[in-house]
């Protein structure tokens, strides 16, 4: 289990620079180096290193947009400032200690009064379900990741 305090350190990017916020790191499997802010919504993306006692243990990409959720059936009305967990990945060597849950809980705690949403990618539905988040299916019923919405606070 986790032992230390988690700090979220925001990494800045320069739109159009061609450089993403993250350096190459073999401990991560997702394409963090290629990440760029959305040029159509440059203020919507935020990138974070997650540090535990000063050591990077996870990476986080948040997005402040909820306009796309209308394509998922039954989603409750969300504020325009709804936070979306776009990507979260715990570094190899730190997995299985509850860090993913701790990061999701931290995002919720940092945004009291707002619901947090996430599309479940790569079969992570079980993770979001263990957090008690509500699951919503795409209107087509197939081919799209389920949307998860945190409980109202």
């Amino acid at each position: 289990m986790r032992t230390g305090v988690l700090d979220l350190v925001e990494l800045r990017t320069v739109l159009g620079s061609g450089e993403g916020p993250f350096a190459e790191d073999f401990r991560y499997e997702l394409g963090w180096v290629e990440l760029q802010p959305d040029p159509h919504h440059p203020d919507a993306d935020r990138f974070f290193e997650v540090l535990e006692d000063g050591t990077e243990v996870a990476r986080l990409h948040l997005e402040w947009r909820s306009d796309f959720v209308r394509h998922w059936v039954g989603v409750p009305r969300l504020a325009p400032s709804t936070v979306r967990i776009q990507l979260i990945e715990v570094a190899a060597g730190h997995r299985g200690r509850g860090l993913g849950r701790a990061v999701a809980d931290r995002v919720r705690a940092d945004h009291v009064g707002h619901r947090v949403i996430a599309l479940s990618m790569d079969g992570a539905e079980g993770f979001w379900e263990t957090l008690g988040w509500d699951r919503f299916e795409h209107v087509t019923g197939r081919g799209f990741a389920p949307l998860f919405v945190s409980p109202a606070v």
Side-chain angles (χ1 to χ4, degrees):
M1 294 306 287
R2 281 184 349 91
T3 59
V5 175
L6 292 184
D7 293 309
L8 274 58
V9 177
E10 186 168 359
L11 303 176
R12 296 291 181 176
T13 60
V14 177
L15 191 61
S17 70
E19 293 185 24
F22 295 102
E24 187 73 45
D25 189 325
F26 68 92
R27 299 174 307 151
Y28 296 96
E29 297 171 7
L30 302 175
W32 291 97
V33 175
E34 292 83 25
L35 284 180
Q36 295 287 320
D38 182 342
H40 303 290
H41 305 279
D43 295 328
D45 292 290
R46 298 290 191 282
F47 304 95
F48 297 88
E49 286 180 316
V50 180
L51 305 179
E52 181 182 42
D53 298 329
T55 299
E56 183 183 328
V57 294
R59 291 180 173 180
L60 175 66
H61 175 189
L62 299 180
E63 181 182 52
W64 273 258
R65 287 183 55 219
S66 62
D67 55 335
F68 67 93
V69 300
R70 67 184 178 278
H71 301 292
W72 278 261
V73 178
V75 175
R77 185 176 180 91
L78 299 171
S81 60
T82 297
V83 177
R84 174 183 174 190
I85 296 177
Q86 180 81 319
L87 285 173
I88 180 174
E89 185 179 8
V90 175
H94 295 279
R95 296 178 186 147
R97 297 178 36 229
L99 287 166
R101 172 183 284 278
V103 172
D105 289 347
R106 171 67 186 271
V107 171
R108 285 194 64 211
D110 287 353
H111 299 90
V112 172
H114 298 278
R115 295 180 110 179
V116 178
I117 61 176
L119 287 173
S120 181
M121 306 304 249
D122 300 322
E125 290 87 355
F127 170 75
W128 299 108
E129 289 168 350
T130 64
L131 296 179
W133 292 28
D134 298 322
R135 180 182 178 139
F136 299 92
E137 300 298 333
H138 194 270
V139 295
T140 63
R142 64 185 190 292
F144 289 89
L147 176 73
F148 285 86
V149 179
S150 68
V153 179

